[in-house]
Amino acid sequence: ALLYPVSYALGMGESHSHKAVESFMCGTPMVTYRQGAMQEVVDEGVTGFTVYSEPEFLLAMKYVDRINRVACRERAISRWSQPAVLGRWLPAMRRVCQGDRW
C-alpha cells in the first residue's frame, strides 16, 4: 500500500494527487488522511482508505491488504485513464468555449 500520512492546514490540501492515481494504476491501494481532494480521489474500500486521525490510520493499515488489487486497478482505469479523463474534459471544454461558466 501507499501510506500517505500527510496532513495539511484547513484549506491548504492538495487539489489532486498524482501519487494516488499512479498508485491505483499499479493496483496499489492507499491509506491517507481525509483532507483536500483525497476524499474525492480515494474510493473507500476499493482503492484505499481515508481517515480522520492517527489511530484510524493505524487501524486502516491493518485492513488495507483486504483490498482487491485488480479491482483497485480497474477502478483507477475507469476514472483516470486517458480515455476516461478526455471523455469528461472535452465536453466540458466545448461548453466553456461556447460561453458556459461554472
Side-chain angles (χ1 to χ4, degrees):
L2 172 60
L3 304 178
Y4 195 65
V6 176
S7 182
Y8 294 97
L10 185 61
M12 302 300 291
E14 290 189 66
S15 60
H16 188 274
S17 175
H18 293 287
K19 294 171 280 305
V21 172
E22 290 169 2
S23 176
F24 304 152
M25 287 290 194
C26 294
T28 304
M30 176 183 204
V31 178
T32 189
Y33 285 105
R34 190 171 178 80
Q35 294 183 320
M38 294 304 140
Q39 56 197 340
E40 296 172 16
V41 174
V42 177
D43 292 307
E44 289 296 323
V46 178
T47 60
F49 299 110
T50 58
V51 300
Y52 290 102
S53 65
E54 184 177 330
E56 287 181 0
F57 197 101
L58 297 172
L59 184 62
M61 288 171 52
K62 293 181 181 180
Y63 292 102
V64 75
D65 64 334
R66 295 183 181 179
I67 291 180
N68 181 310
R69 293 175 58 108
V70 172
C72 178
R73 178 171 162 69
E74 288 173 353
R75 179 66 62 93
I77 290 169
S78 74
R79 290 188 70 196
W80 308 112
S81 66
Q82 183 179 5
V85 172
L86 287 175
R88 291 189 306 270
W89 275 88
L90 288 178
M93 293 303 110
R94 284 188 187 105
R95 289 192 305 271
V96 168
C97 288
Q98 295 168 351
D100 270 3
R101 298 294 179 254
W102 60 83

